[in-house]
Amino acid sequence: MAKRRKRSTAKDLFDLVAVLPWWVGVILAILAYVLLHRFAVGQVAVGVSMNQIGNTAAAHLLGALAFWGQYLVPLIFLAAALASALKRRRRQGLVASAAADSGGANLRALAWRDFELLVGEAFRMRGYTVIETGGGGADGGVDLRLVKGRETFLVQCKHWKAFKVPVQVARELFGVMAAEGAAGGFVVTSGAFTSEALAFVKGCNIELIDGPKLKAMIDAALPTLGDRTQDQPAATSAATPSVPPCPRCSSPMVKRVSRRGEHAGEMFWGCSTYPKCRGTRALSEP
């Protein structure tokens, strides 16, 4: 049996901040220095009684910890902010690579961890707040948690190159959704799904996204990203169809995938301000 790896407070702190946006880590570093510096330079009263001597010793100890902590804790936060920025840049590179490859070879060649990063970024592009919970291995549990408004959605990433994802995966996700009260869920794979899995999710508010659907999801979101797609090749941008205005509020529209009803799995134009506006258009409409 493999030995369990020991964790440290510094490592836990780094991992916690590294999943946040990089600017959050910078702000935390500044706040940590200001607060700890106040303790480090604070004057400690000298006690006479036994109780006062004990309190004085404790205050000296806290002052010493604060003295070193005012440098170490901000350094951890800044290192985590740098890791977050690098991961963000890597995610954008994965998106650009997937968008530029019409055959899907780049998507299938990804390592499982890069596949999770790509899927997370694809949902960010759709307006979700993404919390990465994976990291336990290629067959971990819930890999991503998505938040939009007051609703939470769960995501399972299955980077299976040669096999179809079976119905058991959708069943397990449905059970976790019920236990956590999630509004919906997604199973995303670079491969395909069995017919049993496709039949099971009908009426379960679970969307199955295979490789082509993931590619379409990324392509549909790219026109709305502005300067976030600077690494996208010009040829891809030129090939992107024009985006129609919403018939209700005139906001730009984005391509979405219907998750239920007789048109489940089909793409359509939806208002980019959803759920504020629920305007839709068929893809065939100008």
Side-chain angles (χ1 to χ4, degrees), residues 14 18 20-23 78-94 114 117 121 132 231:
F14 177 91
L20 302 174
W22 66 267
W23 52 266
L78 290 175
L82 176 61
S84 175
L86 292 175
K87 184 182 288 188
R88 173 68 172 164
R89 185 175 181 83
R90 178 164 184 77
R91 288 195 299 259
Q92 291 179 334
L94 292 171
D114 284 342
L117 292 176
E121 188 65 13
E132 298 174 358
D231 294 332

Side-chain angles (χ1 to χ4, degrees), residues 122-166:
F123 280 107
R124 281 189 185 89
M125 292 159 58
R126 294 179 69 178
Y128 291 94
T129 297
V130 180
I131 303 172
E132 298 174 358
T133 60
D139 294 317
V142 173
D143 300 298
L144 305 170
R145 279 181 169 79
L146 313 178
V147 179
K148 179 178 283 190
R150 297 183 178 180
E151 294 183 324
T152 299
F153 302 83
L154 307 180
V155 181
Q156 278 253 29
C157 299
K158 294 295 180 183
H159 188 32
W160 292 7
K161 303 176 183 179
F163 303 100
K164 290 185 176 182
V165 178

